[in-house]
Structure formats: C-alpha cells, structure tokens
Amino acid sequence: MWSFDGQTPLTSWRFVIFMTIVHFIVTWILEKIMSKRKEPINVRRIQRYNNLMIGLFSIITFISINILAYRDGRFASLDRLVCHKPSPRGAYGFLWYLFYLSKLWEFTDIYLVILNKTPVLMHFRWHHQTTPSVMLSAFRENLSYEWPVISSNTLIHSFMYPHFAGVWNVHTILVVLGAFQLIVVLTFGIYGLIAGCSQSLYLHVHGLIIYGTYAIGYLQEHFRIFDRRSLKNE
C-alpha cells in the first residue's frame, strides 16, 4: 500500500504538479484580496491551533521514525543508513506517507500568514512551494537522504510550530536546528551521490539543488549576507 509507486493515493506526479499550481494561484489571489484591505482578517486562533497540531504531529513522527529506523537496523552503519537500506513498507512506509502529506498541510501556513497581513518572506514562500515535489521524489525513488530529511525536518518542526503557537520562545534553537537540518541533508545527499546510492540520479541532483536554495534563503533570512545595503554599511 505505502510503496509510493504512483498507485498509493495522492502520490502521482500529476497530483503534486496540480497541487503546486493550485497553491501558487490561491496564494496570489489571497495576496491580491488582502492588498485591498486595510485591516487583517483575524485568524490568529486558527493559526495557533494549526501550529499546535503540526507541532504535535512532528514530535510523534520524529520519535516514531527513529524508533522504526533503529528496529530495521538502519543505524548499524553509514552504508545501512544511506545506501543499502530496506525499502519502505508497513509502519515506516506509512509514516513516510503521512510526512509527505503534511507538506501539503503546511500550505495553510502561507494562507493564514497572508490573511493576517503579515509579510511573507520569499524564502518561506519558495520553501512551501517546492517541498512537496522534493519529498515525493525522495520517497518514490528511495533516495539516499530520505531518513535525514524526515528526521531533521520533524525535529526542527517539533520546536518551531509550538514556538509560533506561543508555547515557548526558542528562536536561538531554531536558528541552530535550521543550520543543522541543511548541513545534515546536504552532507548525506552529497555522500549518497558520490557513492551512487540513489536509484534516480536526476531526482537526487534535483533535491540537492532545491536544498541548496533553501540554504541560500536561510543565510539571507538570518544573516543578510546577500543584502547589498548591509554590505555598504560595513
């Protein structure tokens, strides 16, 4: 059932492309509507509960995915973790599936932020726009960096979404975990590419390029290294 061969519900490329286009159009329409309003639409309570639910899902997924990876002997060696690993089936495959669907769920982040008339960072916009296709390619083609992606992403989301829900203030931890996620995924991804672990070279390189753009967005958001004005002031 959870084989990501295109037969599992909502895992075809056609569906992901369709949803990506729909998300882009909905985002554009909402921004046009809100640009004509002076006051935001108060959806903060909905936003808070949505953040809490995604945070709880991330905590459960992070713990579960690592327990199942340990059960399957994935931590016995680097080769077992990245290259010669079992195909996702059963509970592990089901968690993959839920994690992939959660990337579609996270589209609501953008919509709620726009309705609140909060500026949408380009990094934030690009990340949500591209993540579903990257996740699906990693899962369907059993790419080498699937475990680092799931594990590091759910770890940072376990802190990030409760942070935005007002449960705690962990901005510094989020900055560290953001860097950790990018380093881990890119390192494992490059290793898998050199070792020839993935089934699809094209999709493997595609995922690495997209994560490279995430790294650029991260550096710009937190350190403004590409801001010409900040360079002139130094």
Side-chain angles (χ1 to χ4, degrees):
M1 178 64 175
W2 319 113
S3 58
F4 293 90
D5 55 3
Q7 301 302 315
T8 302
L10 310 181
T11 60
S12 68
W13 284 111
R14 183 177 298 178
F15 171 77
V16 170
I17 293 172
F18 171 76
M19 289 302 300
T20 301
I21 294 173
V22 168
H23 172 61
F24 179 84
I25 294 173
V26 171
T27 300
W28 182 80
I29 292 174
L30 287 177
E31 288 185 318
K32 287 295 182 181
I33 294 173
M34 295 308 297
S35 67
K36 298 177 181 179
R37 290 178 57 95
K38 293 183 178 180
E39 298 296 328
I41 297 175
N42 190 356
V43 291
R44 293 196 178 279
R45 178 172 295 183
I46 297 174
Q47 194 172 25
R48 184 171 189 270
Y49 285 124
N50 187 59
N51 287 336
L52 287 172
M53 287 189 293
I54 298 178
L56 180 60
F57 168 80
S58 299
I59 293 170
I60 294 172
T61 302
F62 173 75
I63 295 173
S64 301
I65 206 73
N66 283 286
I67 290 174
L68 292 172
Y70 177 80
R71 180 203 65 182
D72 296 336
R74 294 287 298 275
F75 301 135
S77 66
L78 183 61
D79 180 75
R80 180 72 174 173
L81 183 63
V82 180
C83 291
H84 297 94
K85 55 191 190 316
S87 298
R89 292 292 185 273
Y92 191 87
F94 182 60
L95 277 177
W96 265 20
Y97 183 61
L98 293 180
F99 177 72
Y100 154 70
L101 291 180
S102 74
K103 301 300 114 180
L104 302 176
W105 177 11
E106 289 172 16
F107 282 171
T108 57
D109 284 354
I110 294 285
Y111 308 150
L112 294 172
V113 167
I114 293 172
L115 292 175
N116 277 323
K117 290 186 73 71
T118 304
V120 181
L121 297 174
M122 180 55 68
H123 171 53
F124 183 49
R125 188 192 308 272
W126 172 250
H127 175 80
H128 282 72
Q129 187 73 41
T130 56
T131 299
S133 63
V134 175
M135 296 302 102
L136 185 61
S137 64
F139 299 159
R140 282 192 56 172
E141 300 299 329
N142 201 19
L143 299 185
S144 62
Y145 49 80
E146 48 81 16
W147 175 82
V149 167
I150 299 174
S151 190
S152 63
N153 186 256
T154 52
L155 175 61
I156 188 173
H157 282 185
S158 296
F159 288 90
M160 185 180 77
Y161 280 98
H163 169 83
F164 288 127
V167 174
W168 48 46
N169 187 346
V170 290
H171 175 73
T172 302
I173 293 176
L174 294 180
V175 174
V176 173
L177 288 179
F180 171 77
Q181 176 182 214
L182 292 167
I183 292 171
V184 166
V185 174
L186 289 172
T187 300
F188 276 82
I190 293 172
Y191 169 81
L193 184 64
I194 295 173
C197 300
S198 294
Q199 298 177 12
S200 173
L201 176 62
Y202 171 76
L203 290 176
H204 192 122
V205 173
H206 165 260
L208 285 177
I209 291 174
I210 295 298
Y211 259 89
T213 64
Y214 295 165
I216 293 172
Y218 169 86
L219 292 172
Q220 175 64 10
E221 178 183 351
H222 295 290
F223 303 104
R224 305 291 182 186
I225 65 171
F226 302 107
D227 192 333
R228 293 181 180 179
R229 290 173 298 179
S230 66
L231 292 176
K232 291 180 181 179
N233 292 332
E234 291 180 356

